[in-house]
Amino acid sequence: MASTNAKPDGMLLIPKSRHAEFVQIMPLRGIPGIGPSLEQRLNAWGIDSVADLAATSEATLAQATGSATVAHSLALASHGIDEREVTPYTPEKSIGSERTFETDTTDMQTVNALLRRCCDEVASTLRKRGLVAKTVTVKLRFNDLTYRTKAHTMDRPTDTAGVLYPQSAALLKAMLGMLPNAGEDTPLPRLVRLAGVSASGLTERETTPVQMSIDDLLEQDAAPSRQTRSTRLRDAEQALDAIRQRYGKGAASIGL
């Protein structure tokens, strides 16, 4: 059975037997990069199919397209060759969670409860993938369907909801122009339809140095277990991860 081969230099080749089948049935628009405008220019030169394209010299294609680079790319594509490097894994840039409310709301407690849940999900995903995040972003969609986001870069990277949620709650108020000390019974100035949290600036936890603060050092010295509150909270969240994995995501939660 024919299969796609990889050349040593990373090029992908479609076997000739399969390629012959493709070029007979594949329209020009089937090749990535050929849009309506380029298709019309090729048609004007009598190139109406991938088979025609494969039979046309690069010099002619350069005249038809007005670009030697485009001509080379099209010639390779028509013969089933892709010079792009194969990337089996692309590092994630952010991890997020968001939800739409059943009804638009100005209730801060309701929005914060959702942000808390989103932080929990994001933190759990970070731990599962062995990552920590340096930046937290809150996203809101309002009743008029407009969006707004606000981000904060933290002093130290984290993978815990215990750190993400307080930052998210503060971002909510800052985004809406509210005072930092506004109580949860204070109505939001705009109707919110959707809220979410994302974490970015991701790095591998095991290779990311985390500098302890002076408060952490003092707390560590004073604690009988030599553990800081943040360490104990992370241990608790990790324990919840195991419970949820066994019994489902809604099996347990932690108060933040």
Side-chain angles (χ1 to χ4, degrees):
M1 180 181 295
S3 60
T4 301
N5 298 322
K7 291 179 64 178
D9 59 5
M11 282 188 190
L12 287 182
L13 295 177
I14 298 176
K16 292 182 178 179
S17 59
R18 296 298 302 279
H19 178 255
E21 298 174 11
F22 291 155
V23 297
Q24 294 301 322
I25 62 174
M26 190 175 181
L28 283 175
R29 293 285 292 277
I31 291 183
I34 296 184
S37 177
L38 181 54
E39 183 180 37
Q40 289 178 6
R41 296 181 69 174
L42 293 172
N43 291 162
W45 283 72
I47 304 170
D48 301 312
S49 68
V50 175
D52 294 336
L53 190 64
T56 305
S57 68
E58 279 195 38
T60 301
L61 290 176
Q63 287 182 291
T65 62
S67 168
T69 301
V70 172
H72 181 64
S73 176
L74 291 177
L76 291 177
S78 69
H79 289 89
I81 302 172
D82 189 342
E83 289 186 316
R84 293 172 299 179
E85 182 179 351
V86 177
T87 305
Y89 171 72
T90 302
E92 293 177 278
K93 293 184 178 181
S94 66
I95 292 173
S97 175
E98 61 184 40
R99 296 285 190 282
T100 300
F101 296 105
E102 292 185 4
T103 57
D104 302 344
T105 182
T106 59
D107 184 75
M108 190 189 299
Q109 287 185 329
T110 299
V111 176
N112 274 339
L114 179 54
L115 293 179
R116 185 182 296 114
R117 179 180 175 185
C118 290
C119 287
D120 201 16
E121 292 179 356
V122 169
S124 181
T125 302
L126 287 170
R127 291 190 297 272
K128 181 179 179 180
R129 300 180 186 177
L131 301 171
V132 289
K134 193 76 186 295
T135 300
V136 57
T137 301
V138 169
K139 171 184 174 181
L140 298 179
R141 184 172 70 187
F142 303 104
N143 63 318
D144 60 0
L145 302 184
T146 59
Y147 285 90
R148 186 177 296 180
T149 62
K150 193 169 183 62
H152 173 70
T153 297
M154 298 170 285
D155 293 333
R156 293 180 295 172
T158 187
D159 62 358
T160 65
V163 174
L164 293 175
Y165 173 65
Q167 300 288 350
S168 299
L171 285 171
L172 171 68
K173 295 177 182 178
M175 190 186 312
L176 295 176
M178 303 176 69
L179 295 174
N181 61 352
E184 288 216 344
D185 58 344
T186 305
L188 302 176
R190 297 187 65 178
L191 282 165
V192 176
R193 178 163 297 183
L194 172 148
V197 175
S198 63
S200 57
L202 307 181
T203 54
E204 297 287 339
R205 176 176 176 80
E206 291 189 358
T207 59
T208 302
V210 178
Q211 182 69 40
M212 294 184 69
S213 68
I214 294 178
D215 289 340
D216 286 336
L217 293 172
L218 292 174
E219 183 181 354
Q220 186 180 60
D221 290 340
S225 63
R226 300 285 295 175
Q227 284 189 322
T228 64
R229 179 181 178 278
S230 60
T231 301
R232 294 193 299 272
L233 184 57
R234 186 178 189 278
D235 290 344
E237 291 189 28
Q238 279 190 305
L240 286 178
D241 290 340
I243 294 173
R244 291 167 182 156
Q245 184 175 3
R246 183 170 182 178
Y247 298 106
K249 290 184 178 181
S253 61
I254 191 168
L256 300 176

